[in-house]
Structures are given as structure tokens and as C-alpha cells.
Amino acid sequence: MRRLFQFLAVMLASLALMARPALAQQILRDAETEAFMADMSAPLVKAAGMDPRNVQIMVINNPDINAFVAGGQYVWVHSGLIAQADNVNQLQGVVAHELGHIEGGHIIRSGEGIKEATGITLLSLVLGAAAIAGGAGEAGMGLMGLGQQAAMSKFLAFSRAQESSADLAGARYLHTAGISGKGSLDFFKKLQNQEYRLAIPQDNSYGRTHPLSGERIQVLREVYEPDPAWNKPVDPYLEARFERIKAKLIGFASEPRQTLIKYPESDLSIPAHYARAYAWHKSAYPDRALAEANALLAGMPHDPYFLELKGQILLESGKPREAIAPLREAVKLTNQPLISTLLAHALIASEDEANFAEAEQVLKLAVARDRENPFAWYQLGVVYERRGDTPRAALATAERYSMIGQDQMALRSADAAMQGLKPGTVDYLRAQDIAMVSRAAIEQHRKKR
């Protein structure tokens, strides 16, 4: 019985892992990174028969070499995977594989695999219990043990089949998009080296959720090498953007000392300046961080993301008034809602009443284009509160709390908003929607207790 419950626990944990909410982890929202991910993946998304406008590649702050899908048309990539990738082609190979999971509906279908395996386990439990009741205790326990083993084997085989299917689907997307599969193979070799270091036996993938990397390389090599795109070089513009993103993520996510070792002062490349700017900023050396940002702008004075970096350093160093000009230009060049939110922050932090009207306008446009930004809603609430519009301040607060899963606070704020808003208006109906959803979530949580 103990082994049975251990097996069921493994099945439930696997289901929870496949459906894990990415929001429970630290999502890295960055305008440049999201624009790059969209452009890099667009040919693959189209090849998979999906609309690039509906598929998002998001980054999670996690040092592990991993990527996954967890429902919807989202691919979640760990920052550690990007840091370990040698080039953009390797990243494209990973994304193509994950898109294969989306097209195949594997998250939904994984529940079928767990259900089937659990059915085998429960059947063996019934048969084993009947044997024990009939006096064949040893045979009954044996049936239970064999049932658990058969169920686990069934589930693992199901999982490996999904991974193999996603591998081949990813290869198809790369072929259709005219992108080489070299990066995909090279990345699997990285994973294989990791398996060697962990002393994972390489003779058989039985007992694993994924096929061994060596097995995957063997199958995919036969698909990739004859492909016309096999020797196609990486797009140099896309590769340059990848190196910038990689350096930025390393600078943001790594310890500053490690960043400065990887990108020493002698390295005057754009990625090195980028990485060091974040390292110095994290280390509370604003002057040195600003010097790196200015070095980037000296070569490309109208690069919106270098302007954003300078504005961020100034703002977070207590100089919001100086941050406004570079951030304003960055918004003008990109109209990107994340940068707009940063500009609004600087305008509000300037404590100049004359800037509040601009901040409100900028924030309204930002949340209209990207509603999934809690900080933008927070700032919009601040603007409304300062001008005395308490109902809309409460509505903005309700939006923020709803987004971060604080249902009690969302309901309270939505109710407060409805007290001051005119019934039937767009804002009133939105507050009503938030209240209804939050109340349902609270009730569902109460029933689970």
C-alpha cells in the first residue's frame, strides 16, 4: 500500500509540474528581450501553423537549463538556458521543440497518460486485495507491486513518446522556416554532456520521462543533415541581438563578480558594456553603470534600449528628472508599453505636478497595449489618487491585485470602485467583472480547505 501511494504521489506531482503556473516564478519582463523573442520565433510559429501575435516566448529567472509549456500558447524559457546557449540557432532549436508540445496539445493529453497509468495501479490494487482476502497474501502483494511497475512504465513511455513527437515536430518547423538544425543538435550535445557529468547510464532511457540525449541526437541527425538548410549560416543581425540579450540577462541574473569575470573591463564589445552596466548597477555603483550606458550610446545614440538602460540607471539612482529625457526618446522610438511604464515612473517620481497629466496618458496607452503589468496599474492608481479620482484609483488597484492573485484585496478594491463609478459605464462593468471573478476564486479556495 505504501508503494502504491508513493506511485500515486508521483503521478499527481507530475501533473502539477506540467500545469505549474509560471507566475509562481519570477518572470523577467524586458522590452528588448520580448521583441527579440518574438522576431526570433516568428518563422517557427508560422511553420507550426500558429499566429505569431498569439504566441509568446517568456523568460523566467532560473539558472537551470530548461524550457517548458504549461497551457495556452506560451513558451517559458529559463534565463539559465539562454546563458548557456552558444548562439541564436540553439535557442531556436529549443523553442521549435516546445512549439511541438503546443501544436500536439501535450499538456492536455498528459492527463490522459496519468489517468491510464492510475487505472492500471488501481486495478492491481483491487486484484491484489482480493488475492490477500482469499488467503494468498504473498501473491496479492506481488500483484500490487507488478501493477505499480506496469503503471509507471506506461506513464514514462507515454511521456517519452510526447518528447520524441515534439522533437520531430520541431525539426519540421525548422525545415519549413529554412533554419538549420545544427543548433538543435548542438544543444542536445550540451544536455548529453550534463548527463555524463551526472553519471546517467546511456544504454537505455527506460525509467526516464525523456529519451536520452544520445538517442535524440541519433534520430534527429538523420533528419537534419540532409535538410537544405543544414549549412545555412545564422542571421548575423539576429545573432548580434541574441548576444545583447544574453549579456543583459547574465548581468541582471548573475552575481556581479561573476559577470565582471565573464565580461572584463578589457572587453569593449557591446554585450560586455551591457553586462557590466547591469553588474555595476546591481552593486550600487551608479556612476560606473552610467559610464557603461554612455559608452553604448556613444556608438548608437538613438538605440531605444540603450536609452532605456540609461533612464533606468538614473531613475533607480534617485535622479528621476534626468531619466525623463532618455526614456521619453525611447518611448517615441518604440512605443513599447514596458518602457512607457518606466517613463511614467520617472514622471511621477519627479514630484512635479506638471508631469502627472503626461504620466496618466502614457500609462493609459501602456495598459491598453499590455494589461499584464501590475506595476503599470499601481502607478495609474497613484496618478488617479493624486488628482482625487478615488473610484478609478480603486479600480486600478483591483486590476493589480487581480493580476497577482490576491483575490480578497481585488474584491475589496473592486467593490470600493463600484461605490463611486456610474453604473453601466465601461469602468463600472470592469470593476463588476473583477469582483465576480475574485468572489468565485475566494469561494473555490474556501471549498478546498
Side-chain angles (χ1 to χ4, degrees), residues 57-104:
I57 318 295
M58 304 296 289
V59 180
I60 290 175
N61 188 14
N62 189 309
D64 294 339
I65 304 175
N66 193 26
F68 63 93
V69 295
Q73 294 188 344
Y74 289 88
V75 175
W76 302 95
V77 180
H78 286 195
S79 57
L81 187 150
I82 297 174
Q84 292 299 317
D86 296 327
N87 53 55
V88 67
N89 191 218
Q90 291 185 6
L91 181 58
Q92 286 174 316
V94 171
V95 170
H97 169 89
E98 298 303 331
L99 290 173
H101 282 305
I102 294 176
E103 187 200 25

Side-chain angles (χ1 to χ4, degrees), residues 302-314:
H302 300 293
D303 186 294
Y305 304 114
F306 295 163
L307 290 163
E308 178 196 17
L309 173 62
K310 181 174 182 177
Q312 181 182 355
I313 293 169
L314 289 167

Side-chain angles (χ1 to χ4, degrees), residues 185 213-223:
L185 286 185
S213 297
E215 296 171 351
R216 302 167 89 168
I217 291 169
Q218 185 176 357
V219 171
L220 289 173
R221 180 178 283 121
E222 296 180 5
V223 177

